[in-house]
Amino acid sequence: FPMIAGIDFAGTVEQSSHPQWKAGDKVVCNGWGMGETHLGGYAEKARVKGDWLVRLPENISTRDAMAIGTAGYTAMLSVLALEKHGLTPNSGPIVVTGAAGGVGSIAGRIAKREGATVIGIAGAPEKCAWVVDELGFDACIDYKREDVAARLKELAPKGVDIFFDNVGGELLDTVLRRLALKARVVLCGDIST
């Protein structure tokens, strides 16, 4: 208090002295300590450094940008990191923790769109149903009702080739024990075990 929360925002520039921006430009801002050390995106108006802003493409509205939000940004950065290290649709099964959450659901859909086999891990039957039926993941493990290690052994008998973790804790520990040789791992959540 009195910090205003919100780590991202999208909006229209009202005024600017920065050479890159003029009134009417549509922009998005993510990170830079907003909501932590700088007043955040939940404010009605934001005053930020021009260098913090990114121009929105014409085909993306500010509403759509916030629907994707930081979760989408994090997911895409993670997928790009995997691609940089050899992710291909034939790379083997990808396991995504937090599959029903913002980052996990978007990362899994991106990988699925690229043709990968995607196994989600979520914490309720209805979440697993949504992950498979609506998002198109190949399978989902309900970690609250199933033995994750046993199900991973069944779904990925040669081991997990790509692991996208944004949950941490026991799930991180369990999946790390099921990695295949030369597996690729992206950690973007709470990595404490």
Side-chain angles (χ1 to χ4, degrees):
F1 182 80
M3 183 59 66
I4 297 172
I7 61 172
D8 58 6
F9 70 80
T12 305
V13 173
E14 216 173 78
Q15 63 181 10
S16 177
S17 60
H18 192 280
Q20 187 175 345
W21 307 110
K22 65 181 185 326
D25 287 341
K26 302 285 186 195
V27 296
V28 65
C29 187
N30 171 280
W32 299 102
M34 287 192 307
E36 299 173 73
T37 58
H38 187 84
L39 298 178
Y42 288 148
E44 288 183 37
K45 294 186 179 191
R47 182 182 180 111
V48 299
K49 295 178 180 181
D51 293 339
W52 293 6
L53 300 174
V54 175
R55 186 176 310 279
L56 276 179
E58 288 183 25
N59 62 338
I60 298 180
S61 70
T62 54
R63 184 180 190 281
D64 289 344
M66 287 297 89
I68 296 167
T70 300
Y73 180 67
T74 302
M76 192 65 214
L77 287 176
S78 298
V79 170
L80 289 172
L82 287 169
E83 288 175 346
K84 180 179 178 181
H85 295 283
L87 170 68
T88 67
N90 300 333
S91 293
I94 297 174
V95 171
V96 178
T97 58
V103 177
S105 64
I106 295 170
R109 286 191 74 175
I110 293 168
K112 198 62 197 148
R113 187 182 66 210
E114 296 296 315
T117 299
V118 181
I119 301 165
I121 299 178
E126 62 276 6
K127 289 181 180 180
C128 276
W130 181 73
V131 163
V132 172
D133 298 340
E134 299 296 323
L135 299 181
F137 285 31
D138 296 283
C140 185
I141 301 168
D142 179 347
Y143 73 86
K144 290 184 178 177
R145 297 172 186 250
E146 298 179 74
D147 180 333
V148 175
R151 284 286 284 145
L152 284 175
K153 191 171 186 178
E154 175 189 322
L155 294 168
K158 295 180 182 178
V160 173
D161 290 302
I162 299 166
F163 178 30
F164 180 92
D165 181 71
N166 64 97
V167 174
E170 286 184 40
L171 285 177
L172 170 62
D173 199 37
T174 300
V175 180
L176 286 176
R177 294 173 193 273
R178 291 291 311 143
L179 293 180
L181 187 63
K182 297 184 180 181
R184 295 160 189 91
V185 177
V186 171
L187 301 173
C188 65
D190 176 8
I191 60 168
S192 61
T193 58

